Amino acid sequence: MTTITQTYNDTIPTSRSLVWFKQGWQLMKQAPFKLFLFLFSFLIIEGVIQMLPAPYSVVVSKWAMALMAASTWPLLQHLAKHQRFSLKAIFCSGWGKMLGLAIVLILPSVMQLWTANALLGADGLALLIYGTMVEVTQLQLGIIFASATPVMLFLSFASARVLLADDSISAAIRASVQAVIRAWRPMLVIMMVNAVLLLLVPFTFVLSALLTGPWLACVTYQAYCELFDNDSNTTQIIKEM
């Protein structure tokens, strides 16, 4: 048996991001309040976990948050296919691998720690790890939050590849990075929107991220569907017996 693989690298224009934003809005409108409450519950659970002794509470809460965020992928998949919100969609295969991938998904938080240390020194680490009240401006805090977006960008689709495509952890990370690089123009637009919204978090009492969270989750889902559907369409595998 001979396998021939041909891959075509097409440039994906920046304007494609506008299509994803529109598609994401249409998807979100199918269950806006349920999606909002679902994502809002993540913050409540994270807050409860952070009541545990530091610094372990921070590490566990970020790990748990990565798992909770990953659960939006099968939920949105079900919503897109059946036009119905169902929490049962979360119970899919791949969660065993997600336990390991969630460790890697803590990296955006590590980037925030690095930025906090660069801006505030030891006070920055005390703020994020121990929740100590320190002297910090809203702009500095916004920069710390937004600093996670470059790392988040490259890991955008890793959870989806594990839960929706049953990839291994390494294959999921590699696929996510490759997809972002191939579609770097529209993905950069999405990253910049996320960065601005996170930058505004201290100025809006978290509302900038909270209110747009469901929409941006749907936008990323639409980007995933197109990018990985294109992968299957532009890669031809011919098997000859």
Side-chain angles (χ1 to χ4, degrees):
M1 180 176 67
T2 303
T3 301
I4 304 173
T5 305
Q6 295 176 313
T7 303
Y8 305 92
N9 294 319
D10 297 324
T11 301
I12 301 177
T14 305
S15 59
R16 204 63 207 157
S17 61
L18 300 178
V19 176
W20 298 339
F21 282 123
K22 292 178 182 178
Q23 291 174 337
W25 180 258
Q26 294 300 320
L27 179 60
M28 187 207 69
K29 287 198 304 181
Q30 295 183 32
F33 298 110
K34 291 180 179 180
L35 285 173
F36 173 80
L37 292 175
F38 180 70
L39 295 181
F40 183 69
S41 68
F42 297 173
L43 296 179
I44 297 175
I45 296 172
E46 184 182 27
V48 171
I49 295 175
Q50 289 189 356
M51 294 173 66
L52 298 172
Y56 310 106
S57 58
V58 175
V59 176
V60 174
S61 69
K62 298 305 179 184
W63 177 77
M65 178 60 85
L67 291 174
M68 290 185 288
S71 68
T72 60
W73 287 103
L75 191 148
L76 291 177
Q77 178 93 310
H78 186 276
L79 181 62
K81 289 187 174 182
H82 304 284
Q83 291 74 53
R84 185 169 59 87
F85 182 94
S86 175
L87 289 176
K88 292 181 180 179
I90 296 173
F91 300 101
C92 59
S93 61
W95 282 107
K97 289 180 286 187
M98 271 305 308
L99 297 176
L101 178 60
I103 297 175
V104 179
L105 297 179
I106 295 177
L107 287 176
S109 298
V110 174
M111 187 64 188
Q112 290 176 332
L113 283 173
W114 182 88
T115 305
N117 183 63
L119 290 176
L120 306 172
D123 284 349
L125 299 180
L127 173 66
L128 294 188
I129 296 177
Y130 296 98
T132 305
M133 298 297 295
V134 301
E135 187 174 343
V136 57
T137 67
Q138 290 176 310
L139 180 59
Q140 287 174 323
L141 197 56
I143 292 173
I144 291 171
F145 290 149
S147 66
T149 52
V151 182
M152 290 168 55
L153 178 69
F154 286 105
L155 297 174
S156 295
F157 308 120
S159 298
R161 294 305 299 174
V162 167
L163 295 179
L164 304 183
D166 199 29
D167 280 356
S168 65
I169 294 176
S170 60
I173 295 173
R174 184 169 60 252
S176 181
V177 171
Q178 289 174 345
V180 170
I181 291 174
R182 183 163 64 84
W184 69 270
R185 291 179 176 85
M187 290 303 298
L188 183 60
V189 174
I190 293 177
M191 187 200 78
M192 291 174 65
V193 171
N194 276 280
V196 170
L197 293 172
L198 288 175
L199 183 66
L200 293 175
V201 161
F203 299 93
T204 62
F205 303 100
V206 194
L207 289 178
S208 62
L210 192 61
L211 296 179
T212 59
W215 176 43
L216 291 177
C218 292
V219 170
T220 306
Y221 171 78
Q222 297 292 1
Y224 169 82
C225 289
E226 179 171 326
L227 292 177
F228 286 93
D229 180 62
N230 283 347
D231 282 348
S232 63
N233 289 336
T234 57
T235 302
Q236 301 176 354
I237 302 178
I238 304 173
K239 296 182 178 180
E240 299 177 353
M241 298 298 295

